[in-house]
Structure formats: structure tokens, C-alpha cells
Amino acid sequence: MTIIERARKLLDTRPGAEEGHNGSAVTFGVACILVWGFGLEPEEAMGLMQEWNQKCVPPWTDRELMYKLNSARNAAHKEPRGYLLDGKQVAKGEAGWMASEQPRKKKVKFDLSALEAVQDPALVMDWARWIKWLRERSPTDPVMMTAETFLDALYEPGEKIMVFENMRSTGGFMRWIGKGTYKLAKTPGTKAEPAAMPLGSPEGMNWLMQPVDGKWRPQRGKLTMSRRTKDSVQRWPYLLLESDKAPFELWLNALVRAQIRIVAIIASGGRSLHAVVRLDKATEEEWQAEVHNENARVVLEILGADGQAMHGLLYPRLPCTWREGKMHQKKGPDGKALRDDKGRAMLQFVPFSDGRRNQRLLYFNPAPLKGRAIVEGLRFEHSS
């Protein structure tokens, strides 16, 4: 049989994707079989995708199918390309992307020596000078923003953005772009009520950087309901770069020269700075393919990015709000973390010794240009 015939025979055993049943991941898995397992180019695989698409409910558009094929071609995979050409089949439960039908994530490790090697001596500054330097290069004055106007500038009218006063909640508030802020109910079946956005919280305010539909959905593998599952996400516009390990002066020195679309740099009120980067991806698979390719991994390592922050369902610190401390694990006399009867780590709130701190917006550019670093942008005069 030809490669096309062999691929078609395998796809005949694959069920179609069904909306509401992880259909996006199923479709991405089929695309991976074609362009990675059988080594076909996206254009060669398109006909087979169209045939399989007839089983999908509802069927995908040709444009969406080509997105899947290109994303699968660019993603990281466990197996070498063309591994199915020797007759190997996709075994149920096999490790890697074949089990989850997701691209394999490569761990990002902090490399201090690499960060030091790319420093620009002309940008060696202390904290106060960095604050002034970043504000001067912000097209939108960060000092004049509020938490609500910040979110309004980042998202499209009608999109819903979840906001949290603490990350153990189901979501305290929703910013409905163009319609206002709403206090969310803790359980399904209760309507949200209009409310003002809090100015801060003891543990600090966070927001889910991908817009959601606001509906309660069952969590995968659990009996609980949530409004922040992957199925809730409507699109995947942003990536968070965060580093708790890199010294801020080295991290900023490299970050402002990176040719990535940074929309915001936020001081967390703790040890880290958060940089929000615009990717504008329609699906999680496209987001993963962009973040976990080899070139991106090298850049992220140099920037000291936290590998645990390399996923799409992440919660940056909401700027223009305050926090009073952070949660720490409780420890016993032996120094080991204490756990409850369900095996969960026991936490306690520890206030900052110097009092309330601001989650400060240092730089803000809602519409960054591709291929231009912050240092290459214009300088702006803002009123004091």
C-alpha cells in the first residue's frame, strides 16, 4: 500500500471529533498522525483530513484543519518524524502525545550564565531607574491605569475575564468587557451581580489571561464544577513570562531587548516580575506549538522563564491592585510540610513585614508590533 492508503486505513479506525468532548485535542491528534507519524506535509495530508472530517460533529472548516496540520508539524513530539512508516501502530495508553493527543512540553530551565552572557552594559540600572525607563517607553501611561481599564485594553468587547482574590476560589469576579464587572456566585444556578472591582486583597489579585465563556463545566476526572477549565477558554491570546530566580536587573536587561510582543510588565509585590506576551492563538494546540518549539525554548531559558509557568491556564498578578502577604506551607518540628487527612499541603497566610505592597504596572503596550523589542520603540512623555 502507498503511504496515503496506509494513513487512510489508520484514520478509518479513528472516531470523529465531537464538540464538547475534547474535540480540538482529538483533531490535533489526527493531524499529528498524518504530518508526524506518516511524515506527510500539511498540504499532502489535507485531503485525508477532509475525509476524516466528515465524521466530525460539527465538521471543521478547511482553514481550521490546515491550522491543526501546521500546528502538528511545528510541535515537539516524542517519536521521530515518520515513525509510523515502519508499520508501527499507535498503541492505546502509549506514553507521550499519543496518549493525550497533545504536543510534548519541553522543560524550561533557568540558566543564569546564559542570562549574564546577553547583558547590555548600556542598560545597567537600579530599580528606580528601571521604573522611569519603562514608563518612558510605554505607549499607554501605566500610572494612569486601573485594574478595570487595564483588562478593557487587553481584550475584545464581549469577552469575559475571570479575576481572583485568592487562587483557592472558583473565581470571585468577572470583567465582562464593555458591560462592567460582576461578582460571581460560588455555586451554579445563582446569577452574578454587578459590582466594583476590588482594589486589592490580602493574598493579592490575579486574573486568568485567556478569556472564557463564563459557564460552569465539570472538571476532567473530577466530580466538581468549574468556570476555568480548558473547555471554557474561548481563545488563547497570551503567554506569561515569570521568573523567581533571575535577578530583576538582569531579567529586565534581556527582556526589553527580546523581539517578542510584550504587552505588560508587572511587579508582583513579591520577588518576581510578570511579563505578559501577546501570541493571539485560536486554540491551545496552536499556543503549545508556538511556546514549545526549539527556538522559543532557547529564548525562554535565556530570559530565566519559570518552566512551571509554561502553560496557557495561568494567572498573572492583576496590576493596579495591592496585596498584604502570601500563603506559606505549614511545617512541623522536623521541617517537613504538614498535610491534612487528604494528603493536601496545609497553608497559612503570612503578612509582609513592611506592610501592604502594590502590584505595580511598570510597562503597558496593548498593541505591540511584531519583531520589535521594547528598547527599539519610541519614548513618550507622560504627565506626572
Side-chain angles (χ1 to χ4, degrees), residues 126-141:
D126 60 18
W127 180 243
R129 290 178 63 197
W130 267 119
I131 292 175
K132 181 176 183 293
W133 189 95
L134 289 167
R135 186 185 179 195
E136 287 176 344
R137 285 157 181 81
S138 296
T140 300
D141 187 359

Side-chain angles (χ1 to χ4, degrees), residues 138-329:
S138 296
T140 300
D141 187 359
V143 173
M144 303 303 294
M145 302 303 293
T146 67
E148 291 177 319
T149 58
F150 171 81
L151 294 176
D152 290 347
L154 289 186
Y155 298 95
E156 301 296 328
E159 290 188 323
K160 298 174 181 178
I161 314 303
M162 295 194 67
V163 176
F164 300 80
E165 295 173 285
N166 70 76
M167 294 312 300
R168 297 177 303 285
S169 74
T170 57
F173 294 83
M174 180 84 74
R175 183 64 175 174
W176 194 347
I177 308 302
K179 297 190 177 182
T181 300
Y182 290 80
K183 173 73 174 175
L184 296 176
K186 296 181 179 180
T187 56
T190 305
K191 290 185 64 176
E193 298 291 339
M197 183 75 72
L199 298 178
S201 72
E203 297 175 36
M205 306 286 291
N206 296 72
W207 93 96
L208 177 55
M209 61 185 177
Q210 320 300 4
V212 298
D213 59 12
K215 298 177 181 178
W216 288 95
R217 298 175 184 275
Q219 291 182 287
R220 295 176 187 176
K222 300 180 180 180
L223 298 176
T224 54
M225 302 288 284
S226 174
R227 283 176 292 232
R228 49 172 161 164
T229 69
K230 289 184 179 180
D231 293 330
S232 305
V233 175
Q234 299 297 284
R235 63 186 183 100
W236 301 77
Y238 294 114
L239 161 72
L240 174 64
L241 297 184
E242 175 188 2
S243 179
D244 286 335
K245 298 178 180 178
F248 80 85
E249 65 274 16
L250 301 185
W251 193 73
L252 285 172
N253 190 301
L255 187 72
V256 299
R257 294 182 291 113
Q259 293 185 334
I260 53 180
R261 292 192 292 163
I262 297 173
V263 300
I265 299 177
I266 304 160
S268 71
R271 293 186 302 164
S272 62
L273 295 176
H274 292 185
V276 181
V277 180
R278 184 180 289 276
L279 296 184
D280 282 334
K281 300 301 178 182
T283 66
E284 184 192 11
E285 292 77 28
E286 294 166 21
W287 189 97
Q288 295 283 5
E290 177 85 3
V291 171
H292 293 288
N293 69 60
E294 283 293 331
N295 292 333
R297 186 172 63 85
V298 171
V299 172
L300 297 176
E301 286 177 352
I302 291 174
L303 291 178
D306 182 354
Q308 306 224 343
M310 293 295 102
H311 60 86
L313 283 182
L314 215 62
Y315 307 84
R317 291 287 177 178
L318 183 64
C320 314
T321 61
W322 50 260
R323 61 186 292 204
E324 296 177 339
K326 63 184 300 183
M327 301 299 293
H328 288 271
Q329 283 190 345

Side-chain angles (χ1 to χ4, degrees), residues 16-24 26-27 55-60 217 231:
E18 186 176 346
E19 186 175 24
H21 292 80
N22 210 20
S24 181
V26 171
T27 306
K55 297 188 284 186
C56 297
V57 182
W60 301 89
R217 298 175 184 275
D231 293 330

Side-chain angles (χ1 to χ4, degrees), residues 350-361:
V350 179
F352 294 132
S353 59
D354 56 352
R356 180 182 293 180
R357 299 178 186 175
N358 290 326
Q359 297 180 171
R360 186 169 182 175
L361 183 61

